[in-house]
Amino acid sequence: MKFGYFCLAAFAVACVAGCRTTKDVLDDYERNITAGAYREAPGEVAELAAKGDDSSLLWHLLAGAGYYMADDKANAGRQFDAAEDAMQRNDASSVFAQGAQGGLAMMTNDRSFPYDGGGQDRIFTCLYKSIDYMCAGNVTAARTELNRASQHQENWIWERRRDVDAAAQRMTADADAYAKQQQIQQTTGDRSQQTASVLADASFTAQIREKCGFDPVTSGDLSTLAASDYMNAYAQHVCGVFRWLDGDGGQASLKTAAQLAPSTVAVRDANEAASGMRPDNQVWIWVEDGLCPCREEWRIDLPLIIFPGVGRYVKYAGMALPYLRERTWGAANWSVQAGGTMVSMAALANVDKLVKTEYDVYMRGALTREITRTIVKVGAQIALGAAADHTNDGNHRLALQLSQLGVAAWAASTTAADLRSWTALPKSVKCVRIDRPADGRIDVIADSQRIQLAVPPGNSMVFLRKPGPLAMPVAKQVTFNR
């Protein structure tokens, strides 16, 4: 019996062997940008984006970020615009409410649905577009993108709640349909009780907490999140400084940034803007350092204690969940040297934390979905195995046993975690504000690397990006002369 199952499972694996996986693509992309090969990074993901598959939004984001770091404004803009087109299509209804590949899509894995992205995807897309618009001198377009970034911040809770509700409804519908198809006498209430029993298993939940850093009881609860858990202080601060320098207000955004990240820079800016002061020959430098956490797959078996006495009929009860792998800093120490003075940079935004919040909200639904789909698949194996044991017809028994193995092999072949995420986002953002030196020369020091800036008279905004220790920093700057 088990030999036959493994043969079927091996065949299923062989069918996909040799294909490049999402993880393969993301790993190669990471190697490029951490080495500073920014122009090479968009190659494969841009080709994938052009194919328009269900991950096209992700490929557009990755390609856009690569072009952004290579300072190819035209191609970056095209990729980010295409990403936003996909986001707008998704906004018509949650991706979980849309028709996915084939029927009963929820019974395979979350990878069967289009990549929807998260709130930070939307916020950073607008932010990067605005920075390139600033550097190109298109102040109006930059302001529009910053306004849109702020709107995404306000919509964050509503958008996440919509996705959670849509996924739960789709899971129930597809699980009911699959159970009916397999002639399993199982109700939604039965599954809910079994899922609750799994989540009540101390050993199981301890493994989840240890591997995923996720507490099934408390993590990802939208009703208990504070604004600082999901609002991006970096985007708010840039929006506030831009508006302040452009003579278009900015006090509200600066106040929010100071509340989210009470650093010396953010608090000073908020106070001065509120008092009516106008900056004169000031320079703001933001550093996007390192890379945010990425998703990796982890396998764990469903606790079969919820099926007492019939565990022998279960051939496969595996589940796959994503966990976050933290990645390295671009530099351990950042400082700025100007006019004979050395100044350290202050932390402004912890992007790791923002990504973790989005992961926790996703996992709150994903864990329940994975348990539910595994319970239903296991239930089908038990039903077929028990039926085979209670028939006296040898041919019928063999047919039932083969069906049982087929269900188990299909369960094994469709067990996979959704590893898609915008892996080009930074790990953290630091900021400093200094007086422009008379000679306009500013040196930013990242460990042993020195980035020389020539800043003209006026108020300037400088944006640096360093995704890895070996990567040369990317610098973008804009000056306001009014």
Side-chain angles (χ1 to χ4, degrees), residues 32 59 71 85 138 226 230 234 240 265 311 345 431 439 455 459 462:
N32 276 325
W59 307 137
D71 204 26
D85 288 342
N138 192 338
Y230 63 88
Y234 176 35
V265 177
M345 304 197 79
C431 182
D439 60 5
V455 181
N459 296 304
V462 180

Side-chain angles (χ1 to χ4, degrees), residues 107 175 178-179 184 186 191 371-380:
M107 290 307 300
Y178 181 79
I184 306 171
Q186 188 182 52
R191 287 197 304 273
I371 293 171
T372 300
R373 59 172 62 104
T374 306
I375 285 172
V376 177
K377 292 173 183 177
V378 164

Side-chain angles (χ1 to χ4, degrees), residues 13-21 24:
V13 171
C15 290
V16 297
C19 300
R20 278 179 63 76
T21 65
D24 293 333

